[in-house]
């Protein structure tokens, strides 16, 4: 009788067996090691640098789709204006076996309003970033690769400002490091600058804007 009851319980409550999110074993894999690139494809003959990585050793809830959005809120960023994306999506190859895939999401500076602030950013410009997840079978770190830059206003076609890749990265990192919070989550974030993933200079860069070759690795822990 007890065995039958146990089977019934399992049938009614399958979520009891669900495996909780677990940390990956590595921070990230270098995309170039698997035939990928630290530049995305902007669709205009050039790419934008993947200049920030959210480490796969971060708290697992940060690395989900909802998790990166909530973390972005804590830094003063939100999803696009009215959840509408203008322009074509960019793609990236993270060397994980998935090939070139479109960005998961684009997130913009929200000027203090998580509901409508990104509409202002779309008009006057500001910081923004695109997100990809490294989760293919050959390099499953779970890390999030971000292409961060500061852009001009809509009247300037959202071109990147001078030195906008370095500026954009530094603004995002500055906002992230230390303790931040949004909703029910508080984050503790550390940063490490990585060289060797991205060549310094302007070769292959969208708009011909040079960058310093630094990729910042953020490890984000929910506390």
């Amino acid at each position: 009788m007890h065995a039958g009851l146990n089977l019934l319980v399992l049938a009614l409550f399958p979520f009891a067996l669900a495996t909780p999110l677990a940390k990956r074993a590595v921070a990230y894999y270098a995309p170039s090691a698997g035939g990928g690139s630290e530049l995305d494809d902007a669709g205009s003959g050039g790419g934008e640098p993947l200049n920030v990585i959210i480490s796969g050793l971060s708290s697992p809830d940060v690395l989900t789709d909802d998790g990166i959005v909530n973390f972005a809120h804590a830094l003063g960023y939100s999803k696009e204006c009215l959840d509408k994306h203008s322009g074509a999506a960019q793609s990236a190859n993270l060397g994980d076996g998935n090939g070139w895939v479109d960005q998961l999401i684009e997130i913009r500076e929200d000027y203090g309003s998580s509901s409508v602030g990104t509409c202002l950013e779309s008009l006057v410009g500001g910081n923004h970033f695109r997100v990809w997840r490294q989760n293919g079978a050959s390099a499953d770190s779970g890390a999030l690769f971000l292409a961060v830059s500061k852009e001009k206003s809509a009247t300037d076609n959202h071109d990147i400002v001078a030195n906008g890749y370095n500026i954009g990265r530094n603004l995002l990192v500055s906002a992230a490091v230390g303790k931040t919070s949004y909703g029910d989550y508080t984050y503790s974030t550390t940063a490490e600058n990585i060289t060797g993933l991205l060549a310094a200079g302007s070769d292959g860069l969208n708009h011909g804007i040079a960058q310093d070759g630094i990729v910042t690795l953020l490890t984000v822990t929910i506390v």
Side-chain angles (χ1 to χ4, degrees), residues 105-200:
I105 192 171
E106 188 165 346
I107 296 177
R108 299 180 182 277
E109 187 177 356
D110 66 19
Y111 291 100
S113 172
S114 60
S115 57
V116 297
T118 54
C119 298
L120 178 61
E121 193 278 343
S122 292
L123 288 175
V124 304
N127 230 34
H128 75 308
F129 61 92
R130 306 167 193 271
V131 183
W132 289 265
R133 180 177 292 111
Q134 189 178 56
N135 64 350
S138 60
D140 185 11
S141 69
L144 301 178
F145 283 65
L146 279 51
V148 192
S149 59
K150 185 173 183 180
E151 64 181 1
K152 298 179 181 179
S153 68
T155 57
D156 287 316
N157 300 312
H158 287 157
D159 287 346
I160 307 301
V161 304
N163 199 33
Y165 298 126
N166 294 338
I167 291 172
R169 177 202 62 213
N170 292 344
L171 286 172
L172 180 68
V173 170
S174 178
V177 169
K179 291 283 185 69
T180 56
S181 61
Y182 185 83
D184 296 329
Y185 290 87
T186 297
Y187 306 97
S188 178
T189 303
T190 60
E192 176 187 358
N193 287 337
I194 307 294
T195 57
L197 293 176
L198 186 65

